[in-house]
């Protein structure tokens, strides 16, 4: 098999400290600071190399050696820290090859590079690999806090580290409790890192050789013809092993999402005041005689769902003298027909939009009407029913200029049960994922001429 020009090698240095991985993020901070500066230079020099290749067909050797050094340094730090946790030996502050370090990277210098490929390989041709490497190295749980995206909400993302991050976490737990690094997990983690580094070299113009769609696992690549075969051959993961480990990792990822949702549900449950969970207040104001909502249409199934999950609804204003009423839309419209009022068309904690309906002052105050389904001053409680509803806020005496800070609250009777269900689901997903990953590791086989050695007893 032809050797790819990007060679990624790693040697698992055992025994590893059981708990050092807990603080490697702190120990690696000096490297992170230096690498942030080096990668800025790397990006600039890659742009310079782009134009050099475009006009001359050559990658300037000085620039190539510097960028290769940045990639080497990055790989050593990743191998020491949470890209692999494969060694406890502190990475050197060096752009050199450092052949004695247990993680090495070498890229064969290309004497000539295609002037045409440089225009498309880093973005168009590499797209399939970007999708795969994205699965290996990163992933996000995305949530939106607020109303629709155009209403001033905030987007939150939780990065879960991709398959490499999940597998390294599993290896870290093995280290913590068993004192050993599972070789099957190690081989798979190095294979994914090797794929990512090959794509990085290709996308940053350091080779024209298209990265193979091949997961070459283990610390040592296929030896060159002049090289002896490695004493420790990589474990081979067949289709069943890869599928089991991947599904297990995805289930573990799902557990992160359900755990986050369960934690959020628990926080909400503890945040209830007097049995109600209350939204942030929103200010509404009009120079007319009333404020109303758009039509609130609730179907029979919708009403049942709201009663089940939301429970009782409370609408409250900051001014206890204000009248609040909910009525059938048709009957409320008859009362409002000749009244000057503003209809709230869009409401957020910071802003509101209105539609003006011209008219005059009310002939009778709202408090004297009998058609309200529920009404009160300062706040109302509503057991949701199916129908078309309108909410109206007025001054109790029927005067103009209505200003209110409105809050909406609900008892959420199903919140405690939901929290319990989410945490149970988290446990099931974690156990199932862990079992699948173990099955995948057990299904891995060593090559026939290099039988698997029994794992050391911790």
């Amino acid at each position: 098999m032809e050797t790819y020009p990007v060679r990624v090698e790693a040697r698992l240095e055992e025994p590893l400290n059981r708990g050092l991985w807990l603080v490697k993020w702190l120990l690696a901070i000096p490297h992170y600071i230096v690498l942030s500066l080096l990668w800025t230079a790397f990006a600039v020099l890659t742009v310079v190399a782009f134009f050099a290749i475009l006009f001359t067909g050559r990658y300037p050797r000085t620039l190539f050696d510097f960028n290769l050094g940045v990639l080497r340094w990055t790989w050593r730090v990743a191998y020491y820290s949470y890209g692999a946790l494969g060694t406890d030996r502190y990475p050197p502050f060096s752009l050199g090859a450092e052949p004695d370090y247990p993680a090495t990277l070498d890229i064969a210098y290309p004497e000539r590079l295609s002037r045409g490929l440089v225009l498309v390989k880093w973005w168009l041709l590499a797209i399939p690999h970007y999708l795969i490497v994205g699965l290996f190295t990163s992933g996000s749980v995305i949530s939106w806090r607020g109303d629709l995206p155009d209403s001033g909400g905030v987007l939150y993302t939780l990065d879960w580290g991709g398959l490499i991050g999940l597998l390294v976490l599993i290896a870290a737990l093995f280290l913590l409790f068993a004192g050993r690094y599972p070789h099957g997990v190690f081989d798979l983690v190095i294979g994914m890192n090797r794929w990512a580094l090959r794509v990085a070299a290709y996308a940053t113009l350091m080779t024209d050789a298209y990265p193979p769609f091949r997961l070459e696992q283990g610390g040592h690549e296929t030896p060159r013809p002049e090289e002896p075969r490695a004493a420790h051959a990589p474990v081979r993961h067949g289709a069943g092993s890869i599928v089991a480990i991947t599904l297990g990792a995805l289930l573990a990822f799902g557990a992160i999402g359900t755990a986050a949702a369960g934690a959020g549900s628990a926080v909400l449950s503890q945040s209830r005041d007097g049995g109600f969970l209350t939204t942030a207040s929103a200010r509404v104001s009009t120079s007319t005689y009333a404020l109303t909502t758009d039509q609130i249409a609730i179907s029979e199934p919708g009403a049942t769902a709201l009663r089940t999950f939301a429970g009782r609804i409370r609408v409250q204003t900051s001014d206890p003298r204000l009248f609040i009423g909910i009525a059938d839309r048709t009957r409320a419209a008859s009362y409002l027909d000749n009244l000057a009022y503003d209809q709230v068309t869009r409401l957020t904690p910071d802003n509101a939009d209105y539609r003006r309906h011209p008219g005059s002052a009310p002939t009778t105050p709202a408090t004297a009407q009998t058609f309200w389904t529920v009404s009160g001053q300062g706040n109302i409680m509503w057991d949701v029913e199916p129908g078309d509803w309108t909410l109206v806020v007025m001054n109790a005496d029927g005067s103009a200029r209505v200003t209110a800070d409105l809050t909406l609250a609900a008892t959420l009777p199903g919140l405690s049960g939901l929290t319990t269900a989410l945490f149970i689901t988290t446990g099931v997903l974690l156990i199932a994922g862990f079992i699948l990953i173990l099955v995948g590791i057990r299904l891995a086989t060593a090559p026939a001429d290099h039988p698997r050695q029994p794992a050391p007893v911790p």
Side-chain angles (χ1 to χ4, degrees):
M1 181 167 55
E2 184 180 353
T3 302
Y4 191 72
V6 180
R7 291 177 58 81
V8 180
E9 303 273 331
R11 183 177 70 256
L12 183 59
E13 287 199 325
E14 296 179 303
L16 293 166
N17 186 286
R18 287 175 180 254
L20 184 61
W21 63 271
L22 292 168
V23 295
K24 281 186 175 180
W25 65 271
L26 178 63
L27 300 176
I29 286 177
H31 281 284
Y32 297 151
I33 294 172
V34 176
L35 282 173
S36 67
L37 301 175
L38 290 176
W39 272 96
T40 301
F42 183 99
V44 173
L45 294 181
T46 300
V47 173
V48 175
F50 171 88
F51 288 103
I53 297 167
L54 184 63
F55 293 113
T56 70
R58 294 176 61 88
Y59 198 124
R61 187 60 189 256
T62 303
L63 305 188
F64 183 91
D65 289 343
F66 178 88
N67 283 355
L68 173 57
V70 175
L71 288 176
R72 283 170 168 162
W73 193 328
T74 302
W75 170 226
R76 289 193 293 262
V77 173
Y79 189 72
Y80 168 79
S81 59
Y82 305 105
L85 292 179
T87 182
D88 288 341
R89 194 191 307 183
Y90 198 70
F93 288 81
S94 168
L95 293 171
E98 303 296 335
D100 292 335
Y101 196 76
T104 60
L105 169 66
D106 187 37
I107 304 175
Y109 177 71
E111 295 297 334
R112 302 291 299 179
L113 289 167
S114 169
R115 299 185 187 186
L117 278 179
V118 76
L119 297 171
V120 294
K121 67 181 184 181
W122 56 274
W123 65 279
L124 179 61
L125 300 183
I127 286 176
H129 280 288
Y130 290 155
L131 298 176
I132 296 170
V133 170
L135 178 64
F136 289 167
T137 61
S138 66
S140 297
V141 178
I142 303 175
S143 62
W144 188 270
R145 183 176 179 183
D147 297 322
L148 296 175
D150 61 353
S151 66
V154 180
L155 185 67
Y156 292 92
T157 63
L158 171 64
D159 193 349
W160 56 277
L163 293 178
I164 292 176
L166 289 172
L167 291 172
V168 170
L169 175 60
I170 290 167
L173 295 176
F174 262 92
L175 277 174
L176 186 63
F177 295 108
R180 64 185 181 88
Y181 198 128
H183 285 190
V185 173
F186 174 78
D187 290 337
L188 192 53
V189 165
I190 299 306
M192 292 180 181
N193 275 294
R194 179 175 290 120
W195 194 319
L197 286 166
R198 287 174 173 178
V199 173
Y202 179 78
T204 54
L205 316 178
M206 301 180 78
T207 180
D208 277 347
Y210 196 70
F213 286 92
R214 184 172 64 242
L215 189 60
E216 295 181 11
Q217 301 172 64
H220 299 284
E221 296 202 31
T222 303
R224 292 191 175 104
E226 69 276 8
E227 294 177 330
R229 187 173 178 84
H232 173 259
V235 173
R236 289 177 181 168
H237 292 264
S241 173
I242 292 174
V243 169
I245 291 174
T246 302
L247 286 178
L250 291 175
L251 287 178
F253 162 62
I256 294 174
T258 56
S265 178
V267 170
L268 289 177
S269 183
Q270 295 299 317
S271 301
R272 287 187 284 197
D273 181 16
F276 284 86
L277 184 67
T278 306
T279 65
S281 64
R283 166 143 305 193
V284 289
S285 180
T286 179
S287 60
T288 64
Y289 297 93
L291 288 161
T292 75
T293 62
D294 272 334
Q295 172 187 347
I296 304 171
I298 303 176
S299 64
E300 183 68 46
T304 302
L306 282 171
R307 284 195 297 269
T308 301
F309 296 105
R312 298 198 77 191
I313 303 296
R314 182 180 71 193
V315 182
Q316 189 171 12
T317 72
S318 55
D319 187 347
R321 297 168 298 176
L322 286 175
F323 169 85
I324 308 173
I326 294 178
D328 176 81
R329 182 177 64 89
T330 303
R331 301 189 68 181
S334 297
Y335 175 70
L336 297 169
D337 189 35
N338 296 315
L339 193 70
Y341 67 94
D342 276 347
Q343 185 179 50
V344 180
T345 58
R346 177 175 170 271
L347 181 63
T348 70
D350 302 318
N351 193 22
D353 294 334
Y354 307 92
R355 183 186 302 120
R356 176 65 55 90
H357 292 259
S360 57
T363 55
T364 56
T367 53
Q369 307 304 312
T370 60
F371 58 80
W372 303 108
T373 300
V374 58
S375 64
Q377 288 186 222
N379 72 84
I380 57 171
M381 303 287 187
W382 186 35
D383 295 312
V384 178
E385 298 291 340
D388 293 334
W389 307 100
T390 296
L391 185 144
V392 179
V393 179
M394 301 178 65
N395 292 319
D397 60 2
S399 60
R401 300 195 178 279
V402 181
T403 299
D405 291 316
L406 290 175
T407 58
L408 188 67
T411 55
L412 301 178
L415 194 59
S416 297
L418 176 63
T419 302
T420 301
L422 285 170
F423 282 128
I424 291 174
T425 302
T426 298
V428 171
L429 289 175
L430 280 176
I431 293 170
F434 188 70
I435 290 173
L436 278 173
I437 289 170
L438 287 179
V439 168
I441 293 170
R442 291 293 183 185
L443 289 175
T445 59
D449 54 343
H450 287 270
R452 181 197 294 272
Q453 298 297 317
V457 177

